[in-house]
């Protein structure tokens, strides 16, 4: 709706959008700019969350990437700068678990040197209590922490390594104390596993200043045994909370914001819901993903990536990098969540732990 309450056509939104796009910015076949680069800095993790990295597959004999296969910090920064030149605004560091990557603060300091870059990170919080001050000091601006329950038995069933809630809560407190605020908390909801934790989580974080987001369980990769029956729709999550803690909708902060925002009517803060399954948001998806070994994916549910590391290590010039990424993005037509069917669920999709959420 425009200020006069008149509906604004999608094309008109796009045109408005493009007039504001910095010179050199690229768009895909659906007119979506490439704004957000999610960078996986490692495919390793110390959790085995059932919806992402099931232990049965990612067990003791699973072969993770060797150190030599990982992009170096210099290579990551070079790619981030190239994305910036093409209209990129935000870099989110992910994994696996990014805080497992040695000397991560040095990478953050290097990325913080890119002018105007919005720099954030998603972590499971297990190592955050000790690392938060150094991450902030290095230039990290914001942080998102995954936490799927407050009840230890439920949380341990979700992370499947017996990790306790308290340590993640200490990490969240340390992040807030370090000034990485507002801290966003991501909870993946799986029916029959942790949906009974929806209200306890909402009660706990209400009034804390942190923003709790509920994520619909997704058919990422090929290993988590996803079933539609295990999905708790975002609308149901909101209904459950609203019944006890009245909510009202809040406008998106920017075009392409992933979470739908709701605030407590009593002013005690807000929550978000991320509804990839029941209310797809592909039409304004501006996200690209880089695996730890330098493959570019244009969708979380992609079946193949584009090898940028070979270009980097093959001596490509900045212009050649710009051309390569432009050619990849220009032909992008991904909208998996809009076309999801029982057949697509079985596609040989890339694992989320390899490219970050
Ligand atoms: S399914 Fe793919 S295109 Fe759609 S929002 Fe997710 S990452 Fe973007």
């Amino acid at each position: 709706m425009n200020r006069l309450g008149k509906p604004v056509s999608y094309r008109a939104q796009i045109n408005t959008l493009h007039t504001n796009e910095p010179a050199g910015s690229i768009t895909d076949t659906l007119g979506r700019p490439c704004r957000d680069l999610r960078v996986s800095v490692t495919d390793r993790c110390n959790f085995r969350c059932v919806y992402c990295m099931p232990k049965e597959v990612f067990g003791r004999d699973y072969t993770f990437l060797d150190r030599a296969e990982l992009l170096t910090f210099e290579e990551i920064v070079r790619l981030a700068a190239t994305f910036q030149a093409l209209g990129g605004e935000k870099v989110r560091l992910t994994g696996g678990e990014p805080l497992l990557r040695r000397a991560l603060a040095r990478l953050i300091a290097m990325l913080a040197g890119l002018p105007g870059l919005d720099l954030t990170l998603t972590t499971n919080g297990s190592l955050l209590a000790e690392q938060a001050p150094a991450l902030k000091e290095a230039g990290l601006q914001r942080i998102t922490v995954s936490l799927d329950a407050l009840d230890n038995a439920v949380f341990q069933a979700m992370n499947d390594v017996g990790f306790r809630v308290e340590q993640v809560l200490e990490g969240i407190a340390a992040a807030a104390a370090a000034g990485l605020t507002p801290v966003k908390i991501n909870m993946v909801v799986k029916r029959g596993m942790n949906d009974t934790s929806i209200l306890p989580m909402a009660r706990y974080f209400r009034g804390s200043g942190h923003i709790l987001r509920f994520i619909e369980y997704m058919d990422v990769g090929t290993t988590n045994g996803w079933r539609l029956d295990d999905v708790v729709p975002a609308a149901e999550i909101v209904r459950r909370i609203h019944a006890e803690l009245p909510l009202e909708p809040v406008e998106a902060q920017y075009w392409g914001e992933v979470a739908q925002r709701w605030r407590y009517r009593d002013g005690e803060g807000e929550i978000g819901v991320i509804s990839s399954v029941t209310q797809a948001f592909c039409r304004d998806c501006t996200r690209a993903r880089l695996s730890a070994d330098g493959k570019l994916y244009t969708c979380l549910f992609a079946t193949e990536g584009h090898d940028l590391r070979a270009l980097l290590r093959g001596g490509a010039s900045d212009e050649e990098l710009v051309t390569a990424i432009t050619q990849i993005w220009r032909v992008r037509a991904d909208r998996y969540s809009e076309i999801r069917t029982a057949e697509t669920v079985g596609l040989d999709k890339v694992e989320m732990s390899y490219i970050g959420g």
Side-chain angles (χ1 to χ4, degrees):
M1 291 289 173
N2 68 17
R3 265 187 294 270
L4 308 172
K6 295 214 168 45
V8 177
S9 77
Y10 181 39
R11 179 52 45 208
Q13 285 177 40
I14 291 291
N15 294 342
T16 317
L17 177 75
H18 290 327
T19 52
N20 306 335
E21 286 304 316
S25 67
I26 51 176
T27 55
D28 68 10
T29 61
L30 301 177
R32 301 168 294 185
C34 181
R35 279 239 196 96
D36 308 89
L37 179 64
R38 298 187 172 197
V39 179
S40 169
V41 295
T42 177
D43 61 340
R44 295 169 191 261
C45 187
N46 52 354
F47 283 15
R48 288 293 178 275
C49 298
V50 293
Y51 51 82
C52 173
M53 218 175 181
K55 206 189 272 180
E56 304 71 44
V57 178
F58 299 89
R60 286 183 193 293
D61 51 10
Y62 185 84
T63 311
F64 290 99
L65 294 169
D66 271 349
R67 196 167 174 75
E69 294 175 278
L70 300 180
L71 288 183
T72 64
F73 291 170
E74 290 70 18
E75 288 169 334
I76 292 172
V77 174
R78 192 167 168 218
L79 287 177
T82 308
F83 271 90
Q84 253 197 325
L86 292 167
E89 295 176 357
K90 181 158 85 173
V91 165
R92 175 178 295 279
L93 299 177
T94 67
E97 170 47 42
L99 301 191
L100 286 173
R101 178 88 185 242
R102 231 177 287 154
L104 187 70
R106 190 165 71 79
L107 171 61
I108 289 172
M110 293 163 73
L111 288 167
L114 297 176
L117 186 71
D118 178 10
L119 188 53
T120 184
L121 177 148
T122 300
T123 170
N124 65 22
S126 58
L127 303 166
L128 189 52
E130 63 214 59
Q131 294 193 28
L135 299 175
K136 175 67 181 176
E137 177 78 24
L140 190 67
Q141 289 146 19
R142 295 175 291 111
I143 201 159
T144 300
V145 181
S146 306
L147 179 62
D148 298 322
L150 290 168
D151 175 287
N152 262 315
V154 177
F155 183 52
Q156 290 172 339
M158 295 291 281
N159 67 55
D160 213 9
V161 290
F163 210 90
R164 296 182 61 80
V165 170
E166 293 78 6
Q167 212 160 339
V168 178
L169 293 177
E170 281 161 27
I172 292 169
L180 293 166
T181 49
V183 178
K184 291 184 176 167
I185 319 284
N186 278 0
M187 173 185 176
V188 173
V189 181
K190 185 176 179 184
R191 195 182 294 283
M193 274 204 84
N194 68 334
D195 59 303
T196 53
S197 295
I198 291 170
L199 263 166
M201 287 279 282
R203 292 183 196 118
Y204 184 87
F205 287 107
R206 184 169 148 269
S208 68
H210 304 323
I211 301 173
L212 175 58
R213 290 116 56 90
F214 299 91
I215 303 178
E216 288 181 346
Y217 172 42
M218 295 180 284
D219 54 323
V220 288
T222 61
T223 60
N224 67 6
W226 186 84
R227 300 176 316 138
L228 188 56
D229 294 350
D230 297 336
V231 175
V232 180
E236 180 183 336
I237 293 171
V238 170
R239 247 196 335 274
R240 287 196 196 187
I241 298 170
H242 181 69
E244 179 183 320
L245 307 164
L247 293 164
E248 59 194 10
V250 184
E251 285 290 327
Q253 289 170 94
Y254 54 89
W255 192 87
E257 186 168 19
V258 176
Q260 281 169 33
R261 301 170 62 210
W262 294 80
R263 71 171 155 245
Y264 294 111
R265 278 211 195 126
D266 63 4
E268 289 292 317
E270 67 175 77
I271 64 160
V273 284
I274 298 175
S275 55
S276 163
V277 178
T278 61
Q279 297 163 49
F281 39 81
C282 302
R283 60 182 297 172
D284 52 15
C285 175
T286 60
R287 293 171 292 283
R289 292 172 169 84
L290 193 60
S291 67
D293 57 350
K295 292 198 185 71
L296 181 67
Y297 291 81
T298 55
C299 175
L300 177 58
F301 301 91
T303 52
E304 60 175 347
H306 308 265
D307 189 354
L308 298 182
R309 188 187 65 190
L311 285 174
L312 289 164
R313 296 186 181 177
S317 67
D318 291 348
E319 291 68 32
E320 286 166 331
L321 277 182
V322 163
T323 306
I325 295 169
T326 302
Q327 286 170 345
I328 293 165
W329 192 261
R330 278 258 155 84
V331 297
R332 178 194 187 225
D334 300 282
R335 53 191 194 90
Y336 176 86
S337 287
E338 287 181 358
I339 59 171
R340 179 187 280 110
T341 63
E343 286 66 47
T344 64
V345 171
L347 288 172
D348 186 19
K349 295 173 265 117
V350 63
E351 292 299 329
M352 183 164 76
S353 60
Y354 176 66
I355 58 168

